[in-house]
């Protein structure tokens, strides 16, 4: 459910940014006094679709960049030791001995508690990296599940790590995603692009199983991604880092397809109940106008509610004022309500007018 809530926020954000950019675009390209395209017109829809597509693609690229940035910030055991992914056990231990001679806390000539703590933390990281990469079984598990495998106890073989990883990492993730997708299929929420969501989720599942069960790195990394990243002076990726980026990209694609599928006009349905093509065309146009009006109303409501975000007291007060206004100006102003109130007062007080009909 957290992903559904997050996707809802992202959808509102994308709609809001699209509206802002379209307003700025019209302000720059249309001279003052000239009429601007109105919602529902073909020209407005064409501009809206192009801007919306650009915003979604930009959000997709930013999501991947953000995930990659945090992965680089966290680093990995190979970067900590400064060795390549194909380094053997002998090279890893030799590199650790050289780094230990430089960064061992006993060699630190300072009395600063913070410096001593930082040195001890760095040395523990070096030791942990050396212990993990020198053990073929732990190295296999680390490259596929990341540093989470360090917390798993009572694992002595590759099969044990695979079983624990499927139970603690992949299993809950897949079960949660499938449950959310099935739940959405029974509602009217995010129905657009449903086929592509199932398709890319299936592709992600195949990629994960292929990546974590292979004895060596997947060819997607060794033959495609890492050579390209090397040309860009980007550190090579490990299998668990590839899966992290793939999950982020898949989740963003779920949102992208649900948005982009509604931008392309669907062919009008075949007339089966005697409606003329002109009537069907008008219905399609009316549906487009309704969708545009709904999107514009959501955008305006979001902008009006912006000052009250995070202010629970202000939000409650606003709701009370709106409720009071509806009662005073809508319900009580209705002729039938006024007439009923008049008859009720007439029965309770002698000499009261029989009604308040206007």
């Amino acid at each position: 459910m957290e992903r559904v809530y997050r996707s809802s926020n992202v959808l509102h954000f994308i709609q809001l940014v699209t509206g802002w950019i379209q307003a700025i675009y019209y302000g720059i390209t249309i001279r003052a006094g000239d009429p601007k395209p109105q919602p529902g017109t073909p020209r407005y829809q064409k501009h809206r679709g192009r801007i919306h597509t650009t915003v979604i693609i930009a959000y997709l690229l930013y999501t991947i960049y953000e995930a990659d940035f945090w992965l680089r910030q966290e680093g990995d055991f190979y970067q900590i030791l400064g060795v390549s992914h194909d380094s053997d056990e002998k090279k890893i231990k030799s590199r650790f001995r050289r780094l230990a001679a430089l960064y061992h806390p006993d060699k630190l000539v300072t009395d600063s508690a913070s410096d001593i703590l930082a040195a001890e933390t760095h040395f523990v990281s070096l030791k942990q990296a050396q212990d993990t990469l020198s053990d073929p079984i732990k190295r296999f598990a680390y490259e596929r599940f990341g540093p989470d495998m360090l917390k798993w106890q009572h694992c002595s073989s590759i099969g044990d790590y695979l079983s624990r990883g499927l139970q603690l990492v992949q299993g809950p993730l897949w079960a949660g995603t499938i449950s959310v997708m099935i739940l959405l299929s029974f509602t009217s929420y995010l129905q657009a692009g449903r086929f592509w969501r199932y398709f890319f989720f299936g592709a992600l599942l195949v990629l994960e199983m292929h990546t974590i069960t292979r004895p060596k790195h997947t060819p997607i990394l060794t033959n495609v991604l890492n050579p390209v990243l090397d040309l860009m002076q980007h550190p090579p990726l490990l299998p668990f880092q590839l899966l992290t980026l793939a999950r982020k990209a898949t989740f963003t694609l779920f949102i992208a397809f649900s948005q982009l599928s509604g931008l392309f006009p669907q062919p009008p349905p075949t007339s089966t109940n005697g409606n003329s093509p002109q009537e069907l065309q008008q219905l399609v146009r009316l549906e487009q106008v309704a969708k545009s009006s709904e999107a514009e109303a959501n955008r305006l409501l979001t902008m009006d509610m912006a000052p009250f975000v995070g202010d629970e007291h202000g939000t409650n007060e606003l709701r009370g004022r709106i409720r009071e206004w509806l009662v005073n100006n809508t319900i009580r102003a209705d002729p039938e309500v006024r007439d009923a109130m008049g008859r009720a007062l007439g029965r309770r007080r002698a000499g009261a007018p029989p009604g308040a009909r206007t």
Side-chain angles (χ1 to χ4, degrees):
M1 297 306 296
E2 180 181 356
R3 290 193 173 190
V4 176
Y5 177 76
R6 180 184 174 189
S7 64
S8 177
N9 292 337
V10 170
L11 292 178
H12 287 299
F13 174 76
I14 291 176
Q15 292 285 355
L16 189 62
V17 172
T18 301
W20 287 344
I21 295 178
Q22 190 168 11
I24 296 173
Y25 173 75
Y26 285 156
I28 296 175
T29 59
I30 298 179
R31 294 181 299 180
D34 292 346
K36 298 180 180 180
Q38 297 300 314
T41 60
R43 185 183 177 191
Y44 181 92
Q45 290 298 111
K46 181 178 68 174
H47 294 163
R48 185 82 176 184
R50 291 176 178 177
I51 296 173
H52 200 66
T53 303
T54 304
V55 172
I56 291 175
I57 294 175
Y59 176 75
L60 173 63
L61 296 177
Y62 169 76
T63 301
I64 298 175
Y65 169 79
E66 181 187 29
D68 177 68
F69 172 80
W70 287 113
L71 286 175
R72 284 183 291 162
Q73 288 293 108
E74 294 174 358
D76 58 63
F77 286 166
Y78 290 96
Q79 294 179 18
I80 292 176
L81 293 177
V83 295
S84 61
H85 291 179
D86 57 354
S87 300
D88 55 14
E89 181 181 353
K90 180 179 179 181
K91 185 175 181 180
I92 291 173
K93 290 184 176 182
S94 174
R95 178 64 177 175
F96 171 74
R97 285 192 294 268
R98 291 176 57 188
L99 294 176
L102 294 174
Y103 298 106
H104 196 282
D106 294 341
K107 297 182 178 296
L108 194 65
V109 288
T110 180
D111 294 332
S112 174
S114 59
D115 292 342
I116 295 175
L117 180 61
E120 291 177 350
T121 303
H122 182 61
F123 182 78
V124 169
S125 299
L126 292 174
K127 185 68 168 61
Q128 196 173 52
Q130 188 267 153
D131 292 343
T132 302
L133 299 183
S134 298
D135 187 331
I137 296 177
K138 291 183 179 181
R139 183 174 182 175
F140 175 92
Y142 171 77
E143 291 178 347
R144 283 146 186 82
F145 301 106
D148 290 340
M149 52 78 56
L150 298 174
K151 305 175 184 178
W152 302 344
Q153 303 295 329
H154 310 295
C155 293
S156 57
S157 66
I158 292 178
D160 293 338
Y161 279 107
L162 286 176
S163 177
R164 189 66 59 87
L166 291 175
Q167 292 176 6
L168 301 180
V169 182
Q170 268 69 23
L173 176 65
W174 296 340
T177 305
I178 292 175
S179 300
V180 171
M181 294 175 66
I182 293 176
L183 179 63
L184 292 177
S185 65
F186 289 104
T187 65
S188 59
Y189 188 69
L190 292 180
Q191 290 298 306
R194 181 172 58 180
F195 167 78
W196 291 108
R197 285 200 296 273
Y198 281 103
F199 174 81
F200 276 95
F201 175 72
L204 175 64
L205 193 149
V206 172
L207 174 64
E208 292 203 10
M209 290 300 298
H210 171 76
T211 302
I212 66 177
T213 57
R214 284 181 57 87
K216 297 183 179 180
H217 293 185
T218 173
I220 298 176
L221 275 179
T222 56
N223 299 335
V224 180
L225 284 180
N226 283 341
V228 173
L229 294 176
D230 184 60
L231 295 176
M232 301 169 59
Q233 296 183 349
H234 185 287
L237 296 177
L238 289 169
F240 80 89
Q241 296 171 329
L242 169 66
L243 296 181
T244 300
L245 295 178
R247 292 172 192 139
K248 284 282 187 179
T250 302
F251 174 73
T252 309
L253 284 173
F254 285 179
I255 301 175
F257 283 122
S258 65
Q259 292 288 293
L260 294 177
S261 59
L263 298 178
F264 303 99
Q266 301 294 329
T270 306
S271 177
T272 57
N273 53 359
N275 294 334
S276 63
Q278 291 79 9
E279 292 176 343
L280 294 176
Q281 186 176 6
Q282 291 178 357
L283 290 175
V284 172
R285 188 177 304 170
L286 180 62
E287 182 182 4
Q288 294 177 351
V289 173
K291 290 182 178 179
S292 301
S293 301
E294 182 182 2
E296 186 67 17
N298 290 333
R299 185 181 69 84
L300 293 176
L301 180 60
T302 303
M303 294 179 62
D304 291 338
M305 292 295 293
F308 301 95
V309 173
D311 186 359
E312 184 176 357
H313 176 72
T315 303
N316 294 333
E317 183 179 358
L318 178 63
R319 289 176 179 173
R321 295 287 181 86
I322 293 176
R323 188 183 303 110
E324 181 181 355
W325 183 89
L326 290 174
V327 172
N328 293 331
N329 296 275
T330 304
I331 300 177
R332 292 180 179 176
D334 187 88
E336 295 183 1
V337 176
R338 296 176 61 185
D339 185 61
M341 292 175 63
R343 288 197 301 268
L345 291 174
R347 289 193 299 267
R348 299 179 64 180
R349 294 186 303 174
R357 209 181 287 273
T358 57

